[in-house]
Amino acid sequence: MSIGNTLLGLLESGPRHGYDLKRAFDEKFGHDRPLHYGQVYATMSRLLKNGLVEVDGTEAGGGPERKRYAITDAGITDVQRWLATPEKPEPYLQSTLYTKVVLALLTERNAADVLDAQRAEHLRMMRILTDRKRKGDFADQLICDHALFHLEADLRWLELTAARLDKLAGAVTA
């Protein structure tokens, strides 16, 4: 995820302080990975330097002055371009799991055990996500669906690979 573009998008609704941006980001996108304040302010500094935001005002408080940031026309154009650009699909051709299975075969370890352990971990995570989906709001349900669909695809691969272990062993040890 592009933190800069996301913060710019949040600024389109109106000027905000760094603290407000962090709170809005965490509420909408950061359930599992909230932003650190340092990351917000470093990103805002870079966006300011690049002309994508401007300081809309400052306020004195109990600590240092609080800057209020506003998106510029260039920032709006940048967000529009980012939203219109499709994300590159991840083909997962360099899968760590595949590497582990092949290494298990090459080192004469039990590759089926590697697959079984991974299957158990995937199922554990699917139970957690299903529970979260059941209890969550609509946005949380959608993000959980996204993760669950990926885990389901991984499970299909695990089953297919388990069924083909003998053939894979012959191919990688030849």
Side-chain angles (χ1 to χ4, degrees), residues 115-127 151:
L115 293 169
D116 288 344
Q118 192 62 52
R119 184 181 305 105
E121 185 60 19
H122 270 61
L123 291 171
R124 184 188 72 77
M125 181 54 66
M126 290 176 84
R127 284 190 294 277
L151 290 170

Side-chain angles (χ1 to χ4, degrees), residues 22-174:
K22 179 201 174 345
R23 192 180 60 206
F25 180 96
D26 289 352
E27 180 183 302
K28 299 290 185 198
F29 312 108
H31 293 287
D32 299 314
R33 293 182 81 178
L35 282 180
H36 296 285
Y37 285 105
Q39 190 175 10
V40 172
Y41 292 109
T43 302
M44 295 312 296
S45 177
R46 182 178 45 81
L47 295 173
L48 186 63
K49 179 180 159 190
N50 292 336
L52 302 175
V53 298
E54 60 191 10
V55 175
D56 187 55
T58 58
E59 296 174 8
E65 283 188 338
R66 292 176 21 144
K67 293 178 185 173
R68 188 174 54 247
Y69 298 96
I71 192 168
T72 63
D73 289 341
I76 292 170
T77 300
D78 197 63
V79 171
Q80 180 59 36
R81 183 175 26 252
W82 181 63
L83 291 174
T85 304
E87 291 297 309
K88 181 181 176 190
E90 295 294 330
Y92 300 106
L93 294 177
Q94 292 297 321
S95 167
T96 302
L97 182 53
Y98 172 77
T99 302
K100 286 183 173 186
V101 171
V102 170
L103 283 175
L105 293 169
L106 290 173
T107 59
E108 298 182 5
R109 289 181 172 91
N110 191 334
D113 287 349
V114 173
L115 293 169
D116 288 344
Q118 192 62 52
R119 184 181 305 105
E121 185 60 19
H122 270 61
L123 291 171
R124 184 188 72 77
M125 181 54 66
M126 290 176 84
R127 284 190 294 277
I128 290 169
L129 289 168
T130 300
D131 186 55
R132 177 176 163 180
K133 177 181 166 180
R134 193 176 311 122
K135 295 174 182 174
D137 61 14
F138 185 68
D140 211 33
Q141 291 169 11
L142 284 175
I143 196 67
C144 287
D145 280 339
H146 185 262
L148 285 164
F149 293 150
H150 281 276
L151 290 170
E152 287 174 7
D154 287 349
L155 281 176
R156 287 194 312 269
W157 182 85
L158 289 166
E159 295 301 324
L160 179 67
T161 303
R164 295 178 172 176
L165 268 181
D166 290 339
K167 189 172 181 178
L168 180 60
V172 300
T173 57

